Amino acid sequence: MDTEFITMKPAPTADLTSQALDRFREVNGLFPETSHILEHKRQGKKVLGWLCTYVPEEIMHAAGVLPIRITGYSHEIKPDEGNAYLYVNNCSFSRSCLQLGLRGGYDFLDGIAGGSTCDCARRLMDLWHHYIATSFYHMITVPQKYSSKAHELYYEQITQFTQHLSEFTGIEITDASLSHSIQIYNESRELLRKLYDLRKANNPPITGSEIIEISNAGFRMPKETFNEYLKNLLTNIDTSRHAYSNSRARLMLTGSILGNHEFVESIEQLGGLVVTDDLCTSTRHWYDMIEVNQDESPLRAISRRYLNNFPCARMIPHDERLKRIRDLAQGFRVDGAISQIVHNCTPYTHELSFVTKMLEAQGIPVLSLDVEYGTASSGQIQTRVQAFLEMLEGKRR
Amino acid sequence: MINLQNTSETINHLLRTFRLLQKVGRKHPEVRKHEILFYQLLEKYFTRILNAREEGNFIATHTTFMPGEILYAMDIVPMQTEWTSWILALFTKRGTDFISEGRRLGLTNEVCSAQRGIAGAFSLGTLPRPDAVIWSNLICNNIAKNGELIMEINRCPGFFLDHPLGDSAAERNYLRGEIEDMIHFLEEQTGRKMDWDHLSDSVAGTMKQIEISRQICELRKAVPSPFHPQEFMEMLTVTYLFQGQPEATEYLEMLYEDLSLSVSEGRGAVSPERFRVMSIFLSPIYRAPFLEKFSQEHGMVSVAEPIFTQWEEGKLDPTRPLDSLVQKLYMLPERSLYSPVGERTLKKIVDCAKEYKADGAIAYADVACQHTCALIKLFKDVLNDIDVPLLILDCDLVDQTVTSEEDMREKLEQFLELLEDR
């Protein structure tokens, strides 16, 4: 077991909001050896890793599996094996994940499922399959467009995934079990929306950093328990709490995958309050509900939702993604946006100029940061964020 | 540097160069027929682009692995993004300008220089403005994500052809539907209908070209091997630019005849042949003359490029052109980089090394090419199992500032020393 992975321990806190938040922190602090995963394994049930938000969790859940999101180390690492196996020009997220896998961090997994979302994810899956043996491996073709034919293909793909998973677990995945899973995951989405909407307030009671901690925990525990934790937080959150009293600007975070909440914390400590984002580890993961139409199978509804969900930069055309980013920026009244793109994340790099142009046309300046996955911050990042906040303040005057 | 202000000046300069190279070739009996034909075909390709506007023709710019047979069958002038812009860059020495312009457009160094350069070439007006862009995700994110920018630069419509990852019946059917939709798009844009007979002829032409390519691969197994490094790039260029067309068939037949003659006479590309190497990925296009010279000096010959010249098994049926184009896209040698890379691809690498009696292999690690570089460790491991050493040569396909000729020479010489000591 790689001890480097265990990072953050919950700090002792007193108020009810903080106590509610600590429950999520505890999960992150112990991951991957969380009591939830250990208990699930002890009961002889399977745990699967999933990579990318185009892999429907509901299907795994309906098969009695505990789906765990594959992430890398929660901090920036020296990617020795990552570089050796995936080469330095692959994104540091994929290298971090692979290194963690190679060092035994995911030995508890019974299998892995991924989607053909980007080059780095595809290669990560290729190498994982070759060098880290798991008894279940499934790759889903994820169309890169939204046409009716694309939807048909994606539906066929997740039907195959469902069948494969049924064979592997020996558990029949029925419409009833899928409907039950949809209900649980939709509840989670509703709760998250309530929580995220609190950030629309002038002085939100929760920080962007805390939101990332909550999101991360949600990837590492049973959804039912996560929902209980969320309900507890929403009940106990003190809405008069000012997450940061020294807020200098309301910010949106845009860009590629982000795992370390400390990165957001470092921005917020400078006075930039992160009120919304379009990250696949946050808003983009939960955003759309699954709506089952009359006379429609639950699998069909899952399929439609996952392909139509708040798009990743891989999707073509990019109009829908740009529209949703604009809507979020307006809805959360942001003063500026910080684009954080993991080094060598090609789809987001290509999209940056389009996002920047669109947001600037709305009067929202964009600071672009090239980061390594897991980074907490750096002197250079702090200087640039500081200058950006000063610019935003100057703009307001 | 040549000061070339606009598209027609640039292309005219290029055409003059191609004519000159043909003229020089004809004066030298040692220059083989297919080499002269190569420049003749480039002249033809670029002349068509140059005259398209005047002749009222529709130009569709397209990425490498689009089925060009469709464009020819609809009498659309094809302008292949990668090869067109980089031939321009090579012969006008404007590669750095193109790349810098791509950077100005917001494409950072993480985007491969080839794609940055393409966007830059369009933005600078070096390439003619196309009437439509058709592009796909075959073979990487960079190709897929550049299409919308090229559309924006040229203010023209576009069609994105989505390749599925796997090869199930449903995925093949999806790809067929994508091709049909692309044809409808082109019909709408041009006001022309698909000429299905012409398309069938082109498919037959493609099948013929695949068969000759396979025969050429067989010839390259000979000891000594007859195939020059520059012929690899020339062969790719012709088959990419003239998919299914008689021009490509003529070129390949001529190349085959020239190689057959060399084999029958026991004449190798280098003499004496000392090192047989297998090339993995693409060598930098601007270093082709250097690699030719180096190969001659050191007796090194590239006997195979498994990912670029080895077609997968299968046949095309001209009476079913759409199904055949789907089949072709699955048979493409380069598709092995797109599909999940597993036992099948690894076996191909190993079999190739054995069948072509490779002493070693060279992986040209393009510093901005993620999906190829991520395979190097896998390939190295399987080649190591059969005792074939692999040299990893960091480079860039088109950006000359990444690796110097001296650096390449030094690493190649060290590698050959290692092979010699074994």
Side-chain angles (χ1 to χ4, degrees):
Chain A
M1 196 24 239
D2 191 338
T3 51
E4 264 191 288
F5 191 68
I6 299 169
T7 50
M8 164 186 73
K9 294 282 179 196
T13 43
D15 64 273
L16 288 175
T17 306
S18 299
Q19 279 176 20
L21 286 168
D22 282 347
R23 301 177 80 179
F24 298 101
R25 291 188 175 119
E26 187 183 358
V27 174
N28 291 326
L30 295 173
F31 184 75
E33 304 222 332
T34 68
S35 55
H36 307 293
I37 293 173
L38 294 176
E39 177 58 21
H40 201 81
K41 296 288 286 183
R42 199 189 59 74
Q43 290 175 13
K45 295 181 188 168
K46 306 225 182 285
V47 180
L48 289 189
W50 58 272
L51 190 74
C52 294
T53 53
Y54 288 88
V55 180
E57 290 171 81
E58 287 83 351
I59 297 173
M60 292 179 271
H61 182 268
V65 162
L66 175 59
I68 296 292
R69 185 172 193 160
I70 300 285
T71 55
Y73 293 85
S74 57
H75 59 278
E76 195 174 337
I77 56 155
K78 189 176 168 215
D80 296 326
E81 289 98 323
N83 287 351
Y85 284 74
L86 266 172
Y87 223 68
V88 288
N89 62 10
N90 273 241
C91 74
S92 44
F93 167 70
S94 58
R95 283 179 286 142
S96 185
C97 290
L98 187 68
Q99 181 156 315
L100 186 53
L102 288 166
R103 290 189 179 181
Y106 284 109
D107 280 356
F108 61 89
L109 289 180
D110 296 290
I112 182 170
S116 60
T117 46
C118 65
D119 291 344
C120 291
R122 286 194 290 121
R123 289 294 177 250
L124 170 59
M125 287 294 287
D126 285 341
L127 268 67
W128 193 293
H129 192 38
H130 192 84
Y131 292 109
I132 306 170
T134 48
S135 42
F136 179 87
Y137 171 86
H138 195 99
M139 191 68 174
I140 297 170
T141 287
V142 184
Q144 215 162 338
K145 57 207 296 191
Y146 311 94
S147 64
S148 56
K149 288 171 184 164
H151 274 282
E152 276 310 306
L153 177 64
Y154 184 65
Y155 174 67
E156 186 274 341
Q157 285 290 303
I158 65 163
T159 302
Q160 294 292 327
F161 178 49
T162 306
Q163 286 165 359
H164 190 188
L165 207 49
S166 274
E167 285 163 19
F168 176 66
T169 57
I171 294 171
E172 189 187 356
I173 301 172
T174 62
D175 280 1
S177 61
L178 281 172
S179 296
H180 174 65
S181 299
I182 288 172
Q183 198 184 343
I184 289 164
Y185 276 75
N186 269 350
E187 183 184 21
S188 194
R189 293 179 181 115
E190 275 174 15
L191 293 167
L192 284 167
R193 187 175 301 278
K194 279 182 191 164
L195 182 68
Y196 276 54
D197 277 352
L198 294 175
R199 301 159 82 194
K200 287 181 175 168
N202 285 338
N203 290 302
I206 193 155
T207 67
S209 165
E210 287 162 346
I211 284 288
I212 296 295
E213 290 182 277
I214 293 165
S215 263
N216 282 343
F219 302 138
R220 298 161 171 175
M221 63 195 292
K223 206 53 79 179
E224 295 86 339
T225 318
F226 181 61
N227 289 351
E228 290 309 312
Y229 283 19
L230 283 175
K231 283 179 208 164
N232 175 53
L233 174 64
L234 285 164
T235 306
N236 290 302
I237 198 160
D238 176 2
T239 49
S240 66
R241 175 187 190 239
H242 292 173
Y244 276 106
S245 54
N246 64 339
S247 166
R248 297 161 68 187
R250 297 170 66 84
L251 298 176
M252 175 179 199
L253 264 186
T254 179
S256 44
I257 192 163
L258 183 146
N260 191 351
H261 72 99
E262 289 171 14
F263 175 79
V264 184
E265 194 174 271
S266 75
I267 294 170
E268 295 187 315
Q269 280 171 350
L270 292 171
L273 186 59
V274 175
V275 291
T276 188
D277 65 76
D278 76 325
L279 306 178
C280 71
T281 37
S282 181
T283 303
R284 208 162 63 62
H285 170 249
W286 60 263
Y287 205 74
D288 291 13
M289 299 291 283
I290 296 182
E291 289 168 9
V292 188
N293 297 329
Q294 210 172 2
D295 302 326
E296 179 184 59
S297 74
L299 196 61
R300 181 67 76 173
I302 289 172
S303 171
R304 185 178 56 249
R305 184 271 178 193
Y306 272 83
L307 195 59
N308 278 348
N309 187 36
F310 200 133
C312 166
R314 72 182 288 273
M315 297 300 281
I316 295 170
H318 53 203
D319 308 33
E320 177 66 14
R321 175 168 178 259
L322 295 180
K323 179 187 166 296
R324 291 203 189 206
I325 292 174
R326 189 194 61 208
D327 290 350
L328 279 182
Q330 288 174 347
F332 285 81
R333 297 176 290 114
V334 305
D335 303 307
I338 294 182
S339 159
Q340 63 86 37
I341 297 181
V342 170
H343 191 54
N344 288 322
C345 177
T346 313
Y348 283 88
T349 304
H350 273 275
E351 285 293 292
L352 177 60
S353 63
F354 291 102
V355 172
T356 304
K357 207 183 294 178
M358 180 275 293
L359 285 173
E360 286 181 349
Q362 306 293 314
I364 300 168
V366 179
L367 169 67
S368 166
L369 298 176
D370 186 20
V371 300
E372 293 296 352
Y373 176 77
T375 191
S377 190
S378 68
Q380 194 192 28
I381 289 174
Q382 298 244 331
T383 305
R384 296 191 63 195
V385 171
Q386 180 75 12
F388 184 62
L389 292 172
E390 283 165 12
M391 187 270 287
L392 292 178
E393 284 175 323
K395 194 169 165 261
R396 270 209 302 267
R397 279 198 289 268
Chain B
M1 196 181 83
I2 304 150
N3 184 18
L4 299 166
Q5 295 302 317
N6 59 39
T7 307
S8 61
E9 273 183 51
T10 310
I11 296 182
N12 274 316
H13 166 75
L14 213 57
L15 296 177
R16 285 193 295 274
T17 309
F18 296 150
R19 285 184 207 115
L20 181 66
L21 287 165
Q22 291 170 60
K23 200 172 160 186
V24 172
R26 287 192 188 99
K27 282 185 180 168
H28 291 81
E30 72 275 17
V31 176
R32 294 184 287 182
K33 285 185 290 178
H34 70 268
E35 293 176 62
I36 299 166
L37 180 61
F38 173 71
Y39 290 109
Q40 198 180 319
L41 294 180
L42 286 186
E43 184 191 344
K44 186 172 185 177
Y45 189 82
F46 279 92
T47 301
R48 216 171 158 216
I49 292 172
L50 180 68
N51 296 338
R53 285 274 167 271
E54 254 177 44
E55 293 171 0
N57 284 324
F58 188 97
I59 301 177
T61 196
H62 68 98
T63 49
T64 307
F65 304 107
M66 296 297 278
E69 293 88 345
I70 287 170
L71 302 178
Y72 282 108
M74 294 182 74
D75 201 21
I76 291 169
V77 176
M79 187 165 70
Q80 205 258 27
T81 50
E82 287 87 349
W83 249 240
T84 311
S85 54
W86 289 106
I87 288 169
L88 271 174
L90 198 62
F91 284 94
T92 60
K93 301 195 188 311
R94 294 197 66 192
T96 310
D97 288 355
F98 295 173
I99 293 169
S100 303
E101 178 64 8
R103 181 70 185 85
R104 194 192 64 76
L105 294 167
L107 301 178
T108 62
N109 293 351
E110 292 150 299
V111 173
C112 78
S113 47
Q115 294 300 320
R116 274 184 285 149
I118 290 165
F122 276 114
S123 176
L124 290 170
T126 316
L127 289 169
R129 194 187 74 77
D131 297 296
V133 182
I134 54 171
W135 82 103
S136 79
N137 44 3
L138 198 64
I139 205 164
C140 65
N141 290 154
N142 277 306
I143 293 178
K145 290 306 298 179
N146 218 15
E148 283 172 302
L149 180 59
I150 296 174
M151 276 169 67
E152 187 180 89
I153 293 167
N154 292 297
R155 293 189 171 79
C156 68
F159 182 89
F160 170 66
L161 191 145
D162 187 17
H163 275 264
L165 183 74
D167 64 356
S168 66
E171 285 163 291
R172 283 177 177 251
N173 193 41
Y174 176 66
L175 182 54
R176 191 185 195 279
E178 283 291 287
I179 295 172
E180 280 176 323
D181 288 350
M182 187 177 81
I183 291 172
H184 293 151
F185 166 80
L186 290 170
E187 285 180 338
E188 275 176 21
Q189 296 299 321
T190 59
R192 297 173 197 165
K193 286 286 170 195
M194 165 60 76
D195 180 342
W196 292 99
D197 290 337
H198 191 164
L199 185 62
S200 290
D201 291 345
S202 291
V203 167
T206 297
M207 188 63 237
K208 178 76 180 161
Q209 287 153 27
I210 293 170
E211 282 166 357
I212 305 170
S213 298
R214 286 171 174 155
Q215 289 165 359
I216 288 172
C217 286
E218 284 302 310
L219 287 176
R220 296 176 69 188
K221 289 179 180 171
V223 182
S225 187
F227 198 78
H228 289 256
Q230 72 200 43
E231 284 161 352
F232 166 56
M233 278 298 191
E234 289 176 2
M235 191 169 122
L236 275 194
T237 305
V238 172
T239 48
Y240 285 168
L241 299 188
F242 293 96
Q243 295 178 70
Q245 303 313 296
E247 290 90 342
T249 307
E250 185 188 1
Y251 172 84
L252 290 171
E253 282 174 342
M254 212 175 263
L255 174 62
Y256 177 77
E257 280 170 25
D258 286 340
L259 296 176
S260 294
L261 186 66
S262 296
V263 171
S264 65
E265 291 174 353
R267 204 161 19 94
V270 295
S271 181
E273 180 180 286
R274 296 174 63 208
F275 306 103
R276 295 171 69 85
V277 297
M278 186 166 77
S279 301
I280 296 177
F281 316 132
L282 288 177
S283 56
I285 55 171
Y286 53 90
R287 296 273 180 251
F290 160 75
L291 279 172
E292 180 70 38
K293 188 165 172 263
F294 182 90
S295 299
Q296 296 295 342
E297 285 171 0
H298 293 79
M300 180 183 89
V301 64
S302 177
V303 289
E305 304 80 17
I307 288 165
F308 290 93
T309 48
Q310 305 281 322
W311 285 83
E312 294 292 331
E313 283 178 16
K315 282 189 172 178
L316 309 183
D317 177 0
T319 63
R320 296 167 61 215
L322 281 186
D323 292 332
S324 292
L325 289 178
V326 171
Q327 172 70 359
K328 177 205 161 184
L329 290 168
Y330 276 98
M331 285 162 57
L332 270 177
E334 295 88 344
R335 203 182 193 285
S336 56
L337 289 176
Y338 186 70
S339 307
V341 171
E343 295 312 314
R344 190 169 156 190
T345 307
L346 298 178
K347 185 176 180 306
K348 185 176 177 178
I349 298 285
V350 168
D351 289 350
C352 217
K354 287 178 182 169
E355 287 170 19
Y356 288 80
K357 301 184 181 70
D359 302 308
I362 302 170
Y364 293 98
D366 186 328
V367 292
C369 184
Q370 298 172 328
H371 73 134
T372 53
C373 287
L375 295 171
I376 289 174
K377 164 80 174 152
L378 266 177
F379 291 171
K380 190 170 175 59
D381 285 353
V382 293
L383 288 171
N384 192 45
D385 289 345
I386 56 164
D387 206 23
V388 173
L390 176 78
L391 168 69
I392 303 163
L393 203 55
D394 282 328
C395 60
D396 188 288
L397 186 59
V398 293
D399 185 350
Q400 302 193 29
T401 61
V402 172
T403 317
S404 68
E405 195 171 297
E406 292 70 31
D407 192 36
M408 273 184 85
R409 175 180 288 281
E410 190 184 329
K411 285 177 180 154
L412 283 167
E413 282 176 347
Q414 282 171 0
F415 183 60
L416 296 186
E417 277 171 26
L418 179 146
L419 293 182
E420 195 160 39
D421 290 345
R422 287 158 63 89

